[in-house]
Amino acid sequence: MAEGEEAPPPPGSWIKDLADALEEGGCDLETVRNIIQGRQLPADLRAKVWKIALNVVGKGDSLASWDGSLDLPEQSIIHEDCQELIDQLSVPEEEKSVLILDIESVITFYCKSRNVKYSSCLGWIHLLKPLVHLHLPRSDLYNCFYAIMNKFIPRDCFMKGRPFHLFRLLLQYHEPELCSFLDTKKMTPDSYALNWLGSLFSYYCSAEVTQAIWDGYLQQADPFFIYFLMLIILVNAKDVILAQESDKEEMIKFLETSPANLDLEDIEDLFSLAQYYCSKTPASFRKDNHSLFGSSLLGLKDDDTDLSQALCLAVSVSEILQANQQQGEGVRFFVVDCRPAEQYNAGHLSTAFHLDSDLMLQNPSEFAQSVKSLLEAQKQSIESGSIAGGEHLCFMGSGREEEDMYMNMVLAHFLQKNKEYVSIAKGGFMALQQHLADINVEGPENGYGHWIASTSGSRNSISSVDGDSPNGSGDGKGVKSLVNKMTVALKTKSVNVKEKVISFIENTSTPVDRIPFNISWPDRASMERHVSSSDRVGKPYRGVKPVFSIGDEEEYDTDEIDSSSMSDDDRKEVVNIQTWINKPDVKYNFPCNEVKENGHMFPSHLLVTATHMYCLREIPSRKGLAYIQSRQALNSVVKITSKKKHPELITFKYGNSNTSGIEILAVERYLIPNAGDATKAIKQQIMKVLDALES
């Protein structure tokens, strides 16, 4: 072998597996991730992997129809910036002119097609630098740049922009002491992190470090992950920052350039720590701010939430309800209801601790004792594994600004004490009431009453918006008893599952308990909504015995929740259909049509593995490729039903069970040829999963 010639990877190595998979074509991001498993990416395979991660494989030449005119008013600035970039790179003299023209064409066409005015402070040159290292053709260079701008650079990425207000809330959530220190110094995130976010760290990091960061970040396919990488860089410098006695400008310079200290060997730890902090962050951080990224029209609308005025991170009531039902790791909330005693007694979340915020001014000593009791109750609930337990404090007010003034003072009190994991329930108790009404799709008589407790009336009734409690006697046992019952229900769930599956094929017409629901009921038209498959809160089937059943669906079955998200297709993962069908863990493949509530049908494939069922929706414009439309665990299937007049139209209902019955969390419908064979195969696989869980 000639000196300096790179040896081929040994047979059976992961690098050879990756090279072979990329060479075969049709490789999707999941396949790539499974092979790489977080290891350092070989330089010669980086271009192919990044193109897959950016979903630009097979994309046409967007510049083909452009006349090539470099005639923008700011063209001279663009040319100078491109020249400066080339001068920083080791490019042979004979290639410089061609490369400058390619880069200048990419920027110019992007400005023209997006109607954007170029400015050097945008940092696009630094975004292009890692891509230029890949020696891509001009068409691929533009497609990759466009995909990064579209998917990974947030809107309003400028001074005082929304992305930086959001980062401050994340910093406050995890590192309140550090956040308070920087606030005191008037050092806002945009003053030091503008080029972190705008260039995805390429502004300050070396080429090798930038490539390693992008290797991991693009494979994550999660634009919000950059926030956690930024957070770790600050956390790593925390001790130095807090000990700083220099002036503001010097401190900003120190922070701004801190990513330059990253070495190649630091990247693995950087990502591991970022993953940890990510797992300790409420999902609402992403869900409520998803319009920051992508080309969704939602992002073009003015957001009614001014993050610059937010006291702390807000959490949706749907996440609060679902979080404490989950087993194992994850964010769990200890909910603190700060409304006045009369409103709390009229109706409150059954797992909430009451802290009357009025006491803070009216009786400070009693307030201090209540705070002490709160922290002790939180500690005990975590230790006992209670459903009400959680290390994340979430404060709930009424949802009316004038009434929640005192609650905001209580929140500020906890933040001043540098208490981490502090959040506020978005919309307060009013939002909780409305959410329970929205997901109760059959009407007020089938309420979500078991979520609401009352010390002045029936615990199964939801108080009216004005806080008036319904007439009726209390159960006399209080919240503690209710919390204990719910905890026992969770512990006994696994024991009861197998017994209930005996009634596998059953008529699902068992009467449902009627729960009083004292809240004004919105019109059916105003309740129509799309619920994501990630929503864990659904309508309970109180009184329905079987955990899982297969049967005929009533002709007018109104018990529906559309499980598909209306998210932008740009953010859905694209996979090769045949590659997925050929996966060794795929046991069954059923070509079908996904049927939406409005009657629209989409050619799809249902793939069944040992534990999950996937829906791959075909992409009409890209033959052989599909979006991953849904991913459902088989042990979450509680009903499979069919229309009497259309037996090939199969409805899958997903949920979970407790001692109260079954909660439906999502619904999906498919038109499946030979539907009987499909449901039989899925039934058998579900039984295997339940057998495994029992053993």
Side-chain angles (χ1 to χ4, degrees):
M1 183 181 298
E3 187 176 348
E5 187 177 332
E6 191 172 335
S13 72
W14 72 270
I15 296 178
K16 185 176 187 308
D17 292 342
L18 178 60
D20 290 345
L22 295 172
E23 190 65 32
E24 290 173 6
C27 193
D28 59 48
L29 183 55
E30 182 171 329
T31 303
V32 167
R33 279 196 296 241
N34 288 338
I35 297 174
I36 298 173
Q37 295 183 6
R39 291 172 286 214
Q40 190 171 347
L41 197 58
D44 59 324
L45 301 179
R46 180 168 285 120
K48 289 184 177 180
V49 171
W50 283 14
K51 284 168 65 178
I52 290 171
L54 292 170
N55 194 23
V56 299
V57 176
K59 288 281 178 73
D61 184 358
S62 300
L63 285 75
S65 59
W66 177 49
D67 61 7
S69 298
L70 304 174
D71 54 3
L72 290 174
E74 56 274 11
Q75 200 68 52
S76 60
I77 301 174
I78 296 174
H79 183 78
E80 288 172 11
D81 288 349
C82 294
Q83 183 67 57
E84 186 179 337
L85 172 59
I86 295 301
D87 292 342
Q88 295 173 12
L89 305 174
S90 302
V91 180
E93 197 65 37
E94 63 274 12
E95 297 178 12
K96 283 187 176 181
S97 59
V98 175
L99 193 51
I100 288 177
L101 180 59
D102 282 350
I103 298 171
E104 192 170 352
S105 297
V106 165
I107 293 176
T108 303
F109 182 72
Y110 184 84
C111 288
K112 288 186 173 185
S113 62
R114 305 284 289 183
N115 196 25
V116 178
K117 183 177 180 180
Y118 179 80
S119 170
S120 297
C121 65
L122 292 171
W124 294 355
I125 289 294
H126 301 284
L127 274 179
L128 281 162
K129 191 193 303 183
L131 298 176
V132 171
H133 280 292
L134 301 182
H135 307 292
L136 298 168
R138 189 180 69 166
S139 60
D140 283 343
L141 181 64
Y142 178 81
N143 288 337
C144 288
F145 174 71
Y146 179 90
I148 289 172
M149 289 293 296
N150 187 44
K151 296 180 181 178
F152 295 103
I153 303 299
R155 288 183 180 82
D156 304 334
C157 189
F158 44 69
M159 295 298 287
K160 298 183 181 179
R162 183 180 172 86
F164 300 101
H165 298 313
L166 181 61
F167 179 66
R168 182 196 164 275
L169 294 177
L170 181 68
L171 176 64
Q172 181 192 57
Y173 193 78
H174 291 282
E175 294 289 341
E177 182 186 9
L178 179 55
C179 183
S180 177
F181 178 83
L182 294 175
D183 286 349
T184 303
K185 299 289 184 180
K186 292 184 167 54
M187 294 168 57
T188 54
D190 54 338
S191 67
Y192 56 82
L194 182 64
N195 288 320
W196 297 5
L197 192 56
S199 72
L200 306 182
F201 293 115
S202 64
Y203 191 98
Y204 292 106
C205 294
S206 66
E208 293 77 15
V209 169
T210 300
Q211 287 172 343
I213 291 175
W214 284 28
D215 285 345
Y217 181 46
L218 297 184
Q219 286 180 61
Q220 287 280 337
D222 173 14
F224 283 96
F225 196 73
I226 192 74
Y227 278 95
F228 298 97
L229 297 175
M230 291 163 58
L231 180 62
I232 298 307
I233 288 176
L234 273 189
V235 170
N236 189 51
K238 178 180 177 179
D239 293 341
V240 178
I241 296 170
L242 295 178
Q244 282 277 357
E245 295 182 358
S246 53
D247 63 24
K248 177 181 174 181
E249 293 305 318
E250 286 183 16
M251 290 181 67
I252 288 176
K253 191 66 177 175
F254 166 76
L255 281 179
E256 192 177 10
T257 58
S258 54
N261 299 320
L262 287 171
D263 293 324
L264 211 52
E265 52 268 24
D266 297 327
I267 305 305
E268 185 178 350
D269 289 340
L270 174 69
F271 272 78
S272 296
L273 287 168
Q275 289 279 16
Y276 172 78
Y277 276 80
C278 184
S279 70
K280 294 288 186 180
T281 303
S284 296
F285 172 74
R286 284 181 175 80
K287 289 184 179 179
D288 290 350
N289 298 285
H290 66 89
S291 61
L292 276 178
F293 297 93
S295 59
S296 169
L297 291 175
L298 291 173
L300 303 178
K301 298 178 182 177
D302 291 331
D303 196 296
D304 59 357
T305 306
D306 185 357
L307 294 181
S308 67
Q309 300 300 312
L311 195 57
C312 64
L313 199 65
V315 177
S316 68
V317 290
S318 61
E319 180 174 6
I320 294 169
L321 292 181
Q322 79 176 50
N324 288 28
Q325 295 183 90
Q326 296 173 349
Q327 301 289 340
E329 295 298 318
V331 175
R332 295 173 65 84
F333 298 101
F334 186 81
V335 179
V336 182
D337 193 322
C338 292
R339 294 174 300 146
E342 61 273 14
Q343 289 188 28
Y344 176 84
N345 292 336
H348 56 268
L349 186 66
S350 57
T351 56
F353 181 97
H354 184 230
L355 177 65
D356 191 341
S357 55
D358 292 355
L359 292 175
M360 190 171 183
L361 294 180
Q362 296 172 1
N363 194 332
S365 59
E366 188 176 336
F367 174 78
Q369 186 59 43
S370 296
V371 170
K372 187 177 179 181
S373 300
L374 182 157
L375 297 175
E376 184 60 33
Q378 181 190 23
K379 180 183 175 184
Q380 290 180 4
S381 66
I382 293 172
E383 290 173 352
S384 67
S386 166
I387 191 173
E391 59 180 342
H392 298 251
L393 278 178
C394 185
F395 292 83
M396 179 177 286
S398 68
R400 303 179 190 88
E401 188 176 348
E402 66 280 1
E403 292 181 7
D404 290 340
M405 181 175 61
Y406 289 146
M407 182 200 68
N408 292 337
M409 293 173 63
V410 172
L411 257 174
H413 170 82
F414 278 84
L415 293 171
Q416 286 166 2
K417 299 289 185 184
N418 294 327
K419 177 71 175 171
E420 63 181 9
Y421 302 151
V422 171
S423 63
I424 185 171
K426 189 175 183 179
F429 192 72
M430 283 176 61
L432 174 66
Q433 290 177 309
Q434 187 59 51
H435 176 71
L436 295 179
D438 286 345
I439 59 179
N440 189 344
V441 295
E442 282 196 347
E445 61 271 35
N446 282 336
Y448 245 70
H450 68 289
W451 281 115
I452 300 298
S454 169
T455 54
S456 59
S458 170
R459 70 177 179 86
N460 279 335
S461 54
I462 293 183
S463 62
S464 69
V465 174
D466 292 325
D468 298 328
S469 61
N471 295 327
S473 59
D475 58 13
K477 297 181 181 178
V479 179
K480 184 177 179 181
S481 173
L482 178 64
V483 170
N484 288 339
K485 288 177 184 177
M486 297 175 81
T487 307
V488 171
L490 277 178
K491 290 180 178 177
T492 57
K493 174 182 175 182
S494 60
V495 178
N496 296 334
V497 166
K498 187 61 182 178
E499 297 174 7
K500 294 180 179 180
V501 174
I502 295 172
S503 306
F504 205 91
I505 302 176
E506 182 164 327
N507 188 324
T508 59
S509 59
T510 309
V512 178
D513 290 345
R514 301 298 183 188
I515 309 296
F517 205 85
N518 187 27
I519 183 173
S520 55
W521 195 254
D523 294 336
R524 169 69 66 182
S526 67
M527 289 169 49
E528 291 177 359
R529 62 192 291 268
H530 291 278
V531 180
S532 167
S533 58
S534 61
D535 284 353
R536 294 297 305 274
V537 180
K539 177 183 174 304
Y541 274 60
R542 302 178 68 83
V544 179
K545 293 184 179 179
V547 169
F548 177 80
S549 65
I550 297 180
D552 289 329
E553 189 172 9
E554 294 299 326
E555 186 65 22
Y556 298 102
D557 187 355
T558 57
D559 178 29
E560 300 175 4
I561 306 172
D562 188 342
S563 69
S564 68
S565 169
M566 296 302 288
S567 62
D568 185 3
D569 281 347
D570 279 345
R571 290 197 292 274
K572 292 180 184 173
E573 189 171 333
V574 176
V575 298
N576 183 286
I577 298 172
Q578 202 56 46
T579 301
W580 270 59
I581 291 174
N582 293 337
K583 282 186 175 185
D585 58 335
V586 172
K587 297 182 177 296
Y588 304 100
N589 164 39
F590 303 106
C592 62
N593 280 283
E594 181 189 6
V595 183
K596 308 306 292 179
E597 279 186 283
N598 57 14
H600 290 173
M601 294 196 295
F602 301 90
S604 305
H605 292 261
L606 271 184
L607 304 187
V608 182
T609 69
T611 57
H612 286 78
M613 187 164 71
Y614 295 81
C615 173
L616 305 187
R617 182 191 286 183
E618 295 179 10
I619 305 174
S621 60
R622 304 174 69 183
K623 190 174 181 180
L625 299 181
Y627 294 120
I628 300 179
Q629 190 67 15
S630 76
R631 174 184 183 273
Q632 302 285 1
L634 289 176
N635 63 352
S636 70
V637 178
V638 293
K639 288 185 183 178
I640 301 178
T641 55
S642 63
K643 292 284 187 184
K644 292 177 180 177
K645 294 182 180 179
H646 305 284
E648 71 279 6
L649 181 60
I650 306 299
T651 299
F652 293 93
K653 298 185 180 183
Y654 308 93
N656 54 34
S657 73
N658 51 44
T659 52
S660 301
I662 298 173
E663 287 183 320
I664 302 297
L665 309 180
V667 175
E668 294 173 1
R669 282 192 175 83
Y670 300 98
L671 200 62
I672 310 176
N674 302 318
D677 295 339
T679 53
K680 181 180 179 182
I682 294 169
K683 163 191 167 181
Q684 290 172 346
Q685 200 56 45
I686 292 171
M687 290 300 291
K688 289 179 182 178
V689 171
L690 293 173
D691 283 331
L693 285 174
E694 184 189 37
S695 61

